[in-house]
């Protein structure tokens, strides 16, 4: 059935609002007595099990065993290297800054895709987006570090963005034959295993001292961050153009910065805001380049 305009609007609202609020949710969870790796492991295990049950109820099945290794690799990159490290960073720097640095994922995907054996060089529009984005990145990092922000938090955020890009590229090239719901549920479940193992190895079980706010944040991350936002994304990919759906990449950081300022008293220096604008403009150009290339192929 063709969805109504109201359903499309609600899906975009979920994708924007939830995606923009997840970073503040991570910060609240970390400040609420939870830990990065164990919390992420529990989060992915619950969300992955729910998605898998939903998929099977709709007639889906388990992924073929020959794909499990690729699912485990991509899931580990996405959720160990991406989500858990993002939570570590959220405990050291402002949630809006984590969101802004995470917005560089399209840059790393563009670079990674070009480095693959059968990769494609970025178009002139994409190359311009990279130059503008990395210039903006420098403008953001320098004043925020001079202003007292944690350099390690910034570095961890960038590593998380690179890991997320690597996991996305791995899934794109090795798992494209599987349904999106199957990929996501298995990635979460396979990613939960190393997350929990690393958390236990780091002694996080003894560090857990969850507060009410921390547990509410964890529930929000599972229900809204992992389930509602993902289902909204899948729904929109089936019923809206990729160019429109990709706008979340630069809307989410703006909302994250606004929510961090409003609810947590965070702020970026004036120079940082200029750099943020350059990064988001670069993301927009990179997405335009990717979408125009996809349209030419189709």
């Amino acid at each position: 059935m063709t969805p109504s305009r109201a359903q499309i609007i609600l899906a975009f609202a979920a994708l924007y609002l939830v995606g923009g609020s997840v970073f503040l949710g991570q910060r609240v969870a970390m400040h609420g007595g939870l830990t990065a790796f164990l919390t992420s492991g529990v989060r992915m295990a619950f969300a992955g099990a729910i998605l898998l049950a939903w998929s099977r109820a709709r007639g889906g099945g388990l992924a073929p065993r020959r794909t499990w290794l690729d699912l485990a690799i991509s899931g580990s990159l996405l959720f160990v290297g991406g989500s858990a490290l993002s939570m570590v960073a959220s405990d050291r720097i402002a949630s809006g800054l984590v969101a802004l640095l995470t917005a560089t994922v399209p840059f790393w995907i563009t670079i990674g895709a070009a480095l693959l054996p059968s990769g494609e060089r970025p178009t002139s529009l994409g190359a311009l987006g990279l130059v503008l984005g990395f210039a903006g990145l420098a403008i953001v990092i320098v004043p925020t570090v001079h202003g007292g922000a944690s350099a390690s938090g910034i570095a961890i955020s960038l590593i998380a963005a690179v890991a997320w890009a690597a996991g996305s590229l791995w899934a794109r090239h090795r798992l494209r034959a599987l349904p999106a719901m199957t990929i996501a549920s298995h990635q979460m479940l396979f990613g939960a295993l190393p997350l929990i193992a690393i958390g236990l190895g780091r002694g996080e079980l003894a560090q857990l001292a969850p507060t009410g706010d921390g547990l509410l944040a964890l529930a929000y991350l599972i229900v809204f961050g992992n389930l509602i936002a993902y289902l909204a994304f899948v729904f929109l990919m089936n019923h809206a153009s990729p160019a429109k759906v990709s706008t979340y990449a630069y809307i989410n950081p703006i909302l994250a910065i606004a929510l961090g300022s409003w609810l947590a008293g965070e702020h970026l220096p004036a120079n940082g805001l200029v750099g943020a604008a350059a990064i988001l403009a670069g993301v927009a150009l990179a997405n335009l380049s990717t979408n125009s290339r996809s349209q030419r192929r189709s």
Side-chain angles (χ1 to χ4, degrees):
M1 295 177 61
T2 301
S4 67
R5 182 178 179 83
Q7 289 174 314
I8 296 289
I9 291 173
L10 284 174
F12 270 110
L15 189 62
Y16 290 161
L17 294 175
V18 175
S21 63
V22 160
F23 298 93
L24 183 58
Q26 290 180 163
R27 184 172 177 83
V28 172
M30 292 297 289
H31 289 190
L34 299 179
T35 59
F37 290 91
L38 272 182
T39 299
S40 295
V42 170
R43 175 184 166 189
M44 298 309 159
F46 270 98
I50 293 170
L51 278 181
L52 182 59
W54 184 326
S55 174
R56 299 202 70 177
R58 293 166 60 90
L62 294 175
R65 288 192 178 185
R66 66 179 183 278
T67 65
W68 285 8
L69 179 59
D70 288 319
L71 287 162
I73 292 172
S74 59
S76 296
L77 287 168
L78 290 169
F79 302 122
V80 179
S83 296
L85 288 185
S86 180
M87 286 194 71
V88 173
S90 296
D91 197 36
R92 304 185 185 195
I93 58 177
S95 61
L97 182 55
V98 176
L100 185 59
L101 297 174
T102 302
T104 63
V105 167
F107 304 152
W108 307 115
I109 288 178
T110 299
I111 293 171
L115 294 176
L116 291 172
S118 58
E120 298 178 345
R121 297 173 63 87
T123 65
S124 55
L125 195 62
L128 177 60
L130 287 175
V131 171
L132 186 59
F134 282 114
L137 194 59
I139 296 171
V140 167
I141 289 174
V142 172
T144 50
V145 170
H146 285 174
S150 167
S152 64
I154 290 173
I156 290 169
S157 287
L158 289 174
I159 293 171
V162 172
W164 192 271
S168 299
L169 282 171
W170 194 285
R172 179 188 299 176
H173 288 275
R174 303 282 296 184
L175 299 167
R176 63 177 62 189
L178 295 179
M181 191 78 75
T182 300
I183 294 174
S185 60
H186 285 69
Q187 284 175 330
M188 290 178 188
L189 290 171
F190 280 121
L193 298 176
L195 282 167
I196 293 172
I198 292 170
L200 293 174
R202 295 178 75 239
E204 289 187 0
L205 189 60
Q207 300 168 21
L208 285 173
T211 65
D213 286 346
L215 292 175
L216 283 174
L218 176 59
Y220 181 83
L221 290 171
I222 293 172
V223 175
F224 288 87
N226 285 90
L227 299 177
I228 291 179
Y230 173 74
L231 292 173
F233 176 79
V234 172
F235 173 81
L236 289 171
M237 287 300 292
N238 288 326
H239 299 290
S241 70
K244 290 180 179 179
V245 178
S246 67
T247 55
Y248 81 90
Y250 34 92
I251 298 296
N252 286 359
I254 295 172
L255 290 176
I257 292 170
L259 287 172
S261 175
W262 177 34
L263 298 176
E266 302 172 353
H267 70 278
L268 286 176
N271 289 348
L273 292 175
V274 173
I279 289 174
L280 297 179
V283 172
L285 289 175
N287 280 335
L288 283 173
S289 172
T290 301
N291 290 327
S292 63
R293 175 178 283 166
S294 297
Q295 289 172 358
R296 287 198 301 270
R297 283 177 179 170
S298 60

